[in-house]
Amino acid sequence: MSQTVTLNNGVSMPIIGFGVFQIPADDTQAAVEAALAAGYRHLDTAAAYGNEEAVGAAITASGLPRADLFVTTKLWIQHAPTGSVENDTLRAFDTSLRRLGLDYLDLYLIHQPLGDYYSEWRAMQKVNQDGRARAIGVSNFHPDRLVDLIEHNEITPAVNQIETHPFHQRVADHEQMRERGVQLESWGPFAEGRNNLFTDPVLTAIAEAHGKSVAQVVLRWLVQREVVVIPKSVRPDRMAENLDVFDFALTEDQLKQIASLDAGASLFFDHRDPAMVTALGTRRID
Ligand code: NDP
């Protein structure tokens, strides 16, 4: 199993990265430094997480060559204070780069399929074309929104980062993305522990059969499906555990057992729920 995937524009992306959602800004530098020391070379943050500066400080402190790292951040919904969502997007991109202390990103994502994301995408195409974002993509897009964006723009998103875990497997969405050349990236691979994921009997039995942990079985299941994944942990032992999934393989029977856990619905929120559209859409971050 390869440890990288190749995106639709030829850019190589490590299949496992380190996510920093919900790590408080004051703790993020230490967590990212520990993750880099554990061997992660792919980091996933967002303007909305409030910790881009700390991620940047950890990158600087690590002394690692920039070219060895794959850094993703995300654009929050723009509200056109300057009268132009496209200009606001370019400004937000510059702000994220400055906070991260970088002069280019490996991947820039539209965080939510809300607001005027067509204008956002046009600006993102520009930063992709001028080389300041090696790849651009989206997050939380349902298939219809993804296809619509593709049909009306020049550049097909390289990635769609969506909730994907054993209880919400996204099999049909994945197939549709494959057909369009869009890489599926899982967020919340452990469902943040919801639904008792770490003690689930099916996953526990498979883990015992391989002498691995439930977390490792879940990550292996994702990488075996060629899904990019960005587990979050603030514990160095778990950071190492979550990278150590390349020395075993799930059998066809075990894959079938995991398939049976799919409930086909989000454990977090529904981007098509009007109350959620309002709650996210009215959030300001700058
Ligand atoms: P995860 O599914 O990765 O779960 C994280 C939780 O699992 C934490 O409580 C962590 O605890 C625990 N954990 C991690 N590793 C282990 C392990 N080996 N054994 C037991 N427990 C473990 O949730 P996230 O929501 O953080 O998702 C991952 C990343 O996805 C985010 O950090 C973010 O980068 C991205 N994301 C993107 C979203 C989007 O809208 N685009 C939305 C949500 C997430 P502890 O830290 O104490 O180890």
Side-chain angles (χ1 to χ4, degrees):
M1 173 57 60
S2 166
Q3 300 195 13
T4 59
V5 295
T6 303
L7 302 178
N8 62 13
N9 63 356
V11 167
S12 179
M13 179 178 193
I15 199 162
I16 298 187
F18 182 69
V20 299
F21 179 42
Q22 296 178 127
I23 305 182
D26 287 349
D27 302 336
T28 301
Q29 183 175 346
V32 174
E33 282 186 34
L36 293 171
Y40 290 84
R41 292 295 178 265
H42 164 187
L43 304 172
D44 182 90
T45 185
Y49 299 170
N51 56 16
E52 287 174 314
E53 274 174 359
V55 170
I59 291 172
T60 303
S62 76
L64 287 165
R66 173 69 183 91
D68 290 2
L69 298 172
F70 189 101
V71 181
T72 302
T73 195
K74 310 183 193 86
L75 172 77
W76 191 247
I77 307 157
Q78 298 300 300
H79 299 281
T82 67
S84 158
V85 168
E86 219 172 306
N87 287 344
D88 293 338
T89 300
L90 295 172
R91 202 173 56 168
F93 177 80
D94 287 339
T95 302
S96 284
L97 273 189
R98 182 171 41 74
R99 288 195 186 122
L100 286 160
L102 300 177
D103 55 11
Y104 70 89
L105 285 178
D106 296 282
L107 179 61
Y108 196 41
L109 301 178
I110 290 182
H111 203 148
Q112 306 289 354
L114 302 173
D116 183 5
Y117 52 82
Y118 287 83
S119 294
E120 293 173 358
W121 190 249
R122 292 198 175 98
M124 288 172 66
Q125 290 185 141
K126 286 185 186 154
V127 295
N128 183 219
Q129 280 157 343
D130 72 18
R132 293 195 303 149
R134 295 174 67 228
I136 53 174
V138 297
S139 180
N140 295 307
F141 274 52
H142 283 289
D144 58 320
R145 295 298 83 214
L146 181 64
V147 169
D148 198 55
L149 192 74
I150 292 169
E151 295 297 354
H152 298 285
N153 286 287
E154 201 177 325
I155 298 178
T156 293
V159 166
N160 185 16
Q161 184 184 110
I162 54 175
E163 178 188 348
T164 309
H165 49 71
F167 308 121
H168 192 23
Q169 301 191 5
R170 317 302 291 253
V171 176
D173 295 7
H174 192 189
E175 188 50 38
Q176 184 262 339
M177 284 184 229
R178 266 191 214 278
E179 283 168 14
R180 297 274 178 168
V182 181
Q183 174 66 47
L184 171 53
E185 179 175 19
S186 150
W187 67 250
F190 308 134
E192 295 180 3
R194 291 182 190 198
N195 224 14
N196 297 321
L197 178 135
F198 292 112
T199 53
D200 179 87
V202 169
L203 297 173
T204 303
I206 296 172
E208 281 169 4
H210 288 283
K212 288 285 185 178
S213 67
V214 164
Q216 288 170 321
V217 166
V218 170
L219 296 172
R220 178 69 206 183
W221 165 72
L222 287 163
V223 301
Q224 219 165 297
R225 291 170 70 204
E226 295 178 353
V227 173
V228 172
V229 61
I230 43 173
K232 170 263 172 188
S233 177
V234 292
R235 289 178 35 172
D237 57 332
R238 290 177 174 171
M239 293 175 191
E241 178 185 328
N242 293 346
L243 270 183
D244 181 20
V245 302
F246 295 102
D247 63 349
F248 75 112
L250 301 170
T251 65
E252 282 303 316
D253 181 55
Q254 289 166 340
L255 293 173
K256 272 191 201 141
Q257 291 178 46
I258 297 175
S260 74
L261 301 178
D262 191 6
S266 171
L267 291 184
F268 293 88
F269 40 60
D270 179 358
H271 284 85
R272 289 170 169 158
D273 170 7
M276 186 50 67
V277 170
T278 296
L280 291 174
T282 53
R283 183 173 167 210
R284 308 282 197 265
I285 64 159
D286 272 317

